[in-house]
Amino acid sequence: MLEVDTDHTEIREAVAKLCARFPGDYWRKLDRDMAYPSEFVGALTDAGWLAALIPEEYGGAGLPLSAGAAILEEIHRSGGNAGACHAQMYTMGTLLRHGSEAQKAAYLPGIADGSLRLQAFGVTEPTSGTDTGALKTTAVLKGSDYIVNGQKIWTSRAEHSDLMILLARTTPVTEGMKKTSGLSVLLVDMRDAVGKGLTIRPIRTMMNHATTEVFFDDLRVPAANLIGEEGKGFRYILSGMNAERILIAAECIGDAKWLIEMAVSYAKDRTVFGRAIGQNQGIQFPIARAYANMRAAELMVREALRRYEAGENLGAEANMAKLLAADASNEAANACVQTHGGFGFAEEYDVERKFRETRLYQVAPISTNLILSYLAEHVLGMPRSY
Ligand SMILES: Cc1cc2nc3c(=O)[nH]c(=O)nc-3n(C[C@H](O)[C@H](O)[C@H](O)COP(=O)(O)OP(=O)(O)OC[C@H]3O[C@@H](n4cnc5c(N)ncnc54)[C@H](O)[C@@H]3O)c2cc1C
């Protein structure tokens, strides 16, 4: 076994116990059918884990971000995938930090007890991509409603969510205006909206992620569902991204640990040419290197968590944690497939599934290049490249 993180040991043990009820064949079947892990998400919700970060006054556990990271890491370390529900944990941060008292009282208790699912986050659009300021979805105030028109893509879990945090343009860009101003956040109640201005279409992807494209056609959203002030939406969305990056990084660390354990175990068991393949340095070294890189990335995740919880500036650390952890899981996935030889490609070993799942984090929720650009510009002081 790899060294166990000593933070939140009881939480880690309890989550690992829950995850043991959902072994590889559970995830494999869902993956084959591109189906949603309802039983798993239900079990996590019932145990209160998805409400870990919601303050106690709204019915959550009021735990720090490091507890959320421990929960998500353990899910991935067990071979599972929290992608189906991780947003329930952090998307509510936008509502918590920027919503009015009335909005928080109306929605957070339901999100905490699981009766309301807030897992959809509509930012990315097909034509604007990473250039969020260029998004085209509009929300125009008419009377007491915003009228929303446009399209989002990669809106994960939209079919399994009651609410969506939506970023839309409320003020057209004019000469001299910053592209990232004039954007606003709306809390869209999707329960009654499908077929009345909202269309959700699933996208089949390389791995099972319940992602969709969403179309808005004169969808009415009550003006009361505007989060914070009009025009400040980009800032609100940005303020939640550090937490998201750290939590996804923790999932990558969990994946890397699972993959390294699988690789080590197979390397010890598999005999070729009359000896364990793990006796060969050509097999040992890639796994050992993946382990060293995973541990280094884990330290950066901890540093980012420490800064987050101390209220310190952490843009660089949150980005580096995501970059290094995604690289570590990608490296571990490569080493694990290689160690398994042909069996690395067989569904029943789950290695190929994890290989596909970890690949996502080179691109989402922010791509590697954009993190490197951030570091080059904001940390190293080089000119902005885009
Ligand atoms: C499975 C999945 C789930 C997702 N879930 C969500 C979700 O729930 N909500 C949501 O809003 N979004 C979601 N996303 C979107 C995700 O955040 C974006 O795919 C990601 O940010 C990259 O944007 P893009 O796909 O538009 O790529 P683009 O912006 O088109 O970029 C394409 C490539 O070009 C590179 N590139 C672009 N500009 C530069 C530059 N200036 N310098 C160097 N390289 C550059 C990028 O790094 C990338 O490799 C999801 C994506 C996937 C695949």
Side-chain angles (χ1 to χ4, degrees), residues 119-126 128-131 153-157 205 207 209 211 360 363-370 373 385-386:
Q119 335 209 65
F121 185 61
V123 174
T124 310
E125 296 193 359
S128 52
T130 309
D131 186 4
I153 195 166
W154 308 121
T155 313
S156 301
R157 303 160 295 270
T205 48
M207 67 289 140
H209 202 84
T211 198
L360 172 64
V363 171
I366 179 173
S367 64
T368 305
N369 279 2
L370 267 291
S373 298
S385 61
Y386 56 90

Side-chain angles (χ1 to χ4, degrees), residues 8-20 47 49 74:
H8 302 293
T9 311
E10 282 177 22
I11 290 178
R12 287 172 185 276
E13 283 170 4
V15 173
K17 205 168 153 198
L18 185 152
C19 290
W49 296 123
E74 286 307 320

Side-chain angles (χ1 to χ4, degrees), residues 193-210:
V194 174
K196 296 179 195 157
L198 182 76
T199 306
I200 304 172
R201 282 200 208 131
I203 307 175
R204 283 187 72 85
T205 48
M206 181 180 180
M207 67 289 140
N208 183 21
H209 202 84

Side-chain angles (χ1 to χ4, degrees), residues 295-308:
R295 292 302 307 275
E298 185 180 42
L299 287 177
M300 186 57 80
V301 175
R302 283 194 210 166
E303 172 61 0
L305 282 167
R306 186 196 67 71
R307 283 176 168 266
Y308 186 96

